[in-house]
Amino acid sequence: SQELEQSPQSLIVQEGKNLTINCTSSKTLYGLYWYKQKYGEGLIFLMMLQKGGEEKSHEKITAKLDEKKQQSSLHITASQPSHAGIYLCGADTGGYNKLIFGAGTRLAVHP
Amino acid sequence: AAGVIQSPRHLIKEKRETATLKCYPISRHDTVYWYQQGPGQDPQFLISFYEKMQSDKGSIPDRFSAQQFSDYHSELNMSSLELGDSALYFCASSAAFSYEQYFGPGTRLTVT
């Protein structure tokens, strides 16, 4: 969706390196979701953020929603090959939980 | 706990045929969402149901219809299939007063 921009489009990192993926909305976010997708497979729920300034972590993945609720970042610490995949941010910009998605970030982690 | 179940996982149809996709939400989830993901594209919202009533509608063609049943499972009916309908169709579910949407594995529809 043009309302939701993700960057970078693709990322190749060496195993053990940290990385950050950004998601920027042109509208106020009522909810911001991060999913991981393997090619042609389902979306795996990572986390959801709703409040400005909110930060959540799961294992080595941390996501933040900025105070103005229009931008989120996903940070992976000490990346592993198992982190490889497509990371999608999804956003509720209307308050009815109908999600629009960014174009995704393809992550490759080389041993 | 079991996740969202979708069936069939793969479906091949010819143009102008009809198809029915089924979605079984996570237990106690009362809201179901349908998304379509074309090749190389991000998922697009089609339609959603809350407590068996349509709650929101997106870019769903008039040839498609959907409903949610008393057991909360949902079906997406697609008629007069076109080549452009070939895509991954995802169903997601969420619980009342929770906005976390959990996606199923998807149904890959191929129209030939």
Side-chain angles (χ1 to χ4, degrees), chain A residues 35 41-45, chain B residues 1-9 21-35 68 71-75 89-95 100-107:
Chain A
Y35 292 92
E41 298 181 9
L43 279 66
I44 300 168
F45 175 84
Chain B
V4 176
I5 297 172
Q6 290 187 246
S7 68
R9 292 294 308 280
L21 279 54
K22 297 184 179 182
C23 169
Y24 298 86
I26 293 171
S27 178
R28 300 194 189 89
H29 281 198
D30 52 10
T31 306
V32 168
Y33 313 80
W34 285 97
Y35 292 85
Q68 185 180 31
D71 64 351
Y72 297 108
H73 94 271
S74 177
E75 294 184 2
Y89 289 84
F90 288 111
C91 168
S93 73
S94 66
E100 295 183 353
Q101 284 189 40
Y102 293 87
F103 280 69
T107 293

Side-chain angles (χ1 to χ4, degrees), chain A residues 1 33 35 37 39-45 48 50 56 88 92 95-104 106, chain B residues 9 33 35 37 40 42-45 48 55-58 88 90 94 98-106 108:
Chain A
S1 168
Y33 295 70
Y35 292 92
Q37 184 178 29
Y39 180 74
E41 298 181 9
L43 279 66
I44 300 168
F45 175 84
M48 185 194 76
Q50 283 186 294
K56 287 187 178 179
L88 286 162
D92 174 11
Y96 296 100
N97 220 24
K98 173 176 72 177
L99 300 186
I100 58 171
F101 285 88
R106 289 181 178 273
Chain B
R9 292 294 308 280
Y33 313 80
Y35 292 85
Q37 185 177 31
D42 51 274
Q44 298 291 319
F45 172 79
S48 61
S55 54
D56 206 345
K57 199 171 180 181
L88 259 175
F90 288 111
S94 66
S98 168
Y99 295 101
E100 295 183 353
Q101 284 189 40
Y102 293 87
F103 280 69
R108 182 174 293 281

Side-chain angles (χ1 to χ4, degrees), chain B residues 34 36 44-49 54 56-67 75-78 89:
Chain B
W34 285 97
Q36 178 193 56
Q44 298 291 319
F45 172 79
L46 293 177
I47 196 167
S48 61
F49 293 87
Q54 180 181 308
D56 206 345
K57 199 171 180 181
S59 50
I60 184 170
D62 292 339
R63 300 178 287 107
F64 294 6
S65 65
Q67 57 181 324
E75 294 184 2
L76 178 66
N77 298 294
M78 310 159 72
Y89 289 84

Side-chain angles (χ1 to χ4, degrees), chain A residues 35-87:
Chain A
Y35 292 92
K36 179 184 174 185
Q37 184 178 29
K38 293 281 190 183
Y39 180 74
E41 298 181 9
L43 279 66
I44 300 168
F45 175 84
L46 296 176
M47 53 195 85
M48 185 194 76
L49 306 164
Q50 283 186 294
K51 301 175 184 175
E54 187 175 11
E55 179 175 324
K56 287 187 178 179
S57 293
H58 176 68
E59 297 180 342
K60 294 184 178 178
I61 301 176
T62 301
K64 302 178 186 179
L65 184 61
D66 78 350
E67 291 290 343
K68 293 183 180 178
K69 295 175 65 176
Q70 286 196 258
Q71 187 173 39
S72 178
S73 60
L74 184 82
H75 185 77
I76 298 178
T77 304
S79 58
Q80 300 171 354
S82 60
H83 287 128
I86 302 169
Y87 288 81

